Amino acid sequence: MSGNNVAQRATQDMASARAATAIDVVAVRDLLHNGRKEYQKLQNVVSIMKNDPAFDKSQKDFMDRTHRYERGVSMVNRVYELQEKHNWSHEETLIAFNSFGEANPINLHNTAFQPVILSQGSPELIAKYGDLIATRGILGCYLQTELGHGTNVSSLETTATYLPETREFEINSPSLTSSKWWVGALGKTATHGVVQAKLILPGGKDVGPHLFFIQLRSLEDHKSLPGRIIGDIGPKVHGGFTTVDNGFARFDHVRIPKENMLSKFAQVTDDGKYVQPPHAKLSYGGMLYIRANMITSLGWVMAKAATISIRYSTVRRQGSKSRDGLEQQVITYPSQYIRLLPILSHAYVFIQLGRSLLSAFNTMSSRLASGDTSLLAEMHATTSGLKVLATTIAVEDAEVARRAMGGHGFSAFSGLGRLYADFLPSAT
């Protein structure tokens, strides 16, 4: 069969498959996109982006790591230009970022750094830095994970010692394993960060992990400030997360003003007395926000994997011939159903589940603002468990969908290898 005939047959097979559906496609589409208005927002943003050369994807698989990162930065800058030009709302701007099909260098600025500052910073801290953060006059990251510890936050080694004589905190990395590690945007991008560190009171009492706002790089020449050793941790497995500059940082007795403690809930008085928060784990709020937002995103990963592989299986013909003289469509084989239909069902479940989780998180946050911590423990347990479940299923589904495409799934142009590599770290 000639190339033209193959393309024509593929078009006919897709048209036949779509014509045979018994569902209301528009209704299901609106359900997945949380309503027709939300879907129309997506379409409006994408229609602007799709013909803009800044978002051209044709060469990205031929780029090295440095150029992929630079391309990511360029796309981010272009989105903010379009935001200003088209008067996009914050929500529409996030839609543009999510349309990249890959992470971007300031993702954690938007999803971790800014939300944590706004939700846990003091009014004074927000008044001083809120506008700068919102307008990207400074770019932030979230420094929790260390070389020796990750989710075991209570065992983090970085210290923040209060010095009452100068009203300062001294941030210090006492060991190699206390080095902040894997932090997105830390390698090259961020100028500031929120550091998770053990609060040490005068006299040496350790009152556990708390959050502190710290400058990392000069706003004049972007060089690391004194007392900070900062760098990029290097390439990741399978070339994943290439557009994100995951980095490391060590602090050598760096002093910051007392006001730089995120003190909406817990405080230290000028003379060094500790004012307890309503709940000991309130500083975990940043990670709860990230996890709550992950679930729907992972549902869309499953949806993308299912869509690519199911469409391929619909137009791919291989095996015994049918009555029409053509080889059978791969989608007609039961073994393909067993692989792909569960992925499709997972996508529907996790897209909707993520929305419910985010709604519950917002309810918890509004109660926290008034001092009610009754939902915090349940939210912590729920987001932790769902993060493990959703990431594991999403990564497995991406690989199953890739294998279901046979040899063509191994091509970078299938998109599934990159999808797997980019979301693999979320399951670790």
Side-chain angles (χ1 to χ4, degrees), residues 172-190:
N172 189 52
S173 305
S175 64
L176 178 64
T177 51
S178 70
S179 304
K180 293 299 182 181
W181 203 264
W182 279 117
V183 180
L186 178 57
K188 295 182 179 182
T189 308

Side-chain angles (χ1 to χ4, degrees), residues 96-294:
F97 283 131
N98 292 333
S99 300
F100 285 3
E102 56 189 335
N104 66 76
I106 70 162
N107 183 53
L108 285 180
H109 175 92
N110 294 322
T111 62
F113 178 72
Q114 183 174 16
V116 169
I117 295 287
L118 295 179
S119 63
Q120 301 197 42
S122 66
E124 294 76 17
L125 188 70
I126 295 172
K128 185 174 182 180
Y129 293 103
D131 287 344
L132 280 172
I133 293 170
T135 58
R136 300 166 310 284
I138 61 176
L139 297 173
C141 59
Y142 186 79
L143 299 94
Q144 174 175 299
T145 300
E146 295 178 355
L147 191 58
H149 297 90
T151 54
N152 186 12
V153 178
S154 62
S155 294
L156 295 177
E157 299 176 73
T158 302
T159 58
T161 303
Y162 182 62
L163 307 172
E165 58 274 14
T166 59
R167 296 182 68 253
E168 293 176 308
F169 289 101
E170 188 174 78
I171 310 297
N172 189 52
S173 305
S175 64
L176 178 64
T177 51
S178 70
S179 304
K180 293 299 182 181
W181 203 264
W182 279 117
V183 180
L186 178 57
K188 295 182 179 182
T189 308
T191 60
H192 292 69
V194 171
V195 179
Q196 186 91 253
K198 294 191 299 184
L199 172 56
I200 309 298
L201 300 176
K205 184 179 180 181
D206 177 357
V207 291
H210 290 69
L211 299 174
F212 300 86
F213 177 82
I214 188 170
Q215 185 169 351
L216 302 168
R217 292 182 169 96
S218 167
L219 296 180
E220 299 295 329
D221 57 14
H222 206 63
K223 291 182 179 178
S224 300
L225 293 176
R228 297 109 164 129
I229 301 174
I230 303 173
D232 189 280
I233 64 170
K236 279 79 77 173
V237 169
H238 303 312
F241 245 54
T242 311
T243 53
V244 177
D245 51 321
N246 297 86
F248 67 87
R250 286 179 55 78
F251 302 101
D252 184 9
H253 301 91
V254 175
R255 294 193 178 190
I256 61 173
K258 176 178 175 288
E259 293 73 22
N260 280 26
M261 177 181 177
L262 271 62
S263 56
K264 182 175 182 177
F265 300 110
Q267 295 99 33
V268 175
T269 63
D270 287 352
D271 59 354
K273 291 184 176 62
Y274 183 60
V275 180
Q276 288 188 327
H279 196 290
K281 290 183 169 57
L282 274 173
S283 64
Y284 294 8
M287 288 308 299
L288 295 186
Y289 179 83
I290 294 171
R291 289 170 181 165
N293 276 277
M294 283 180 70

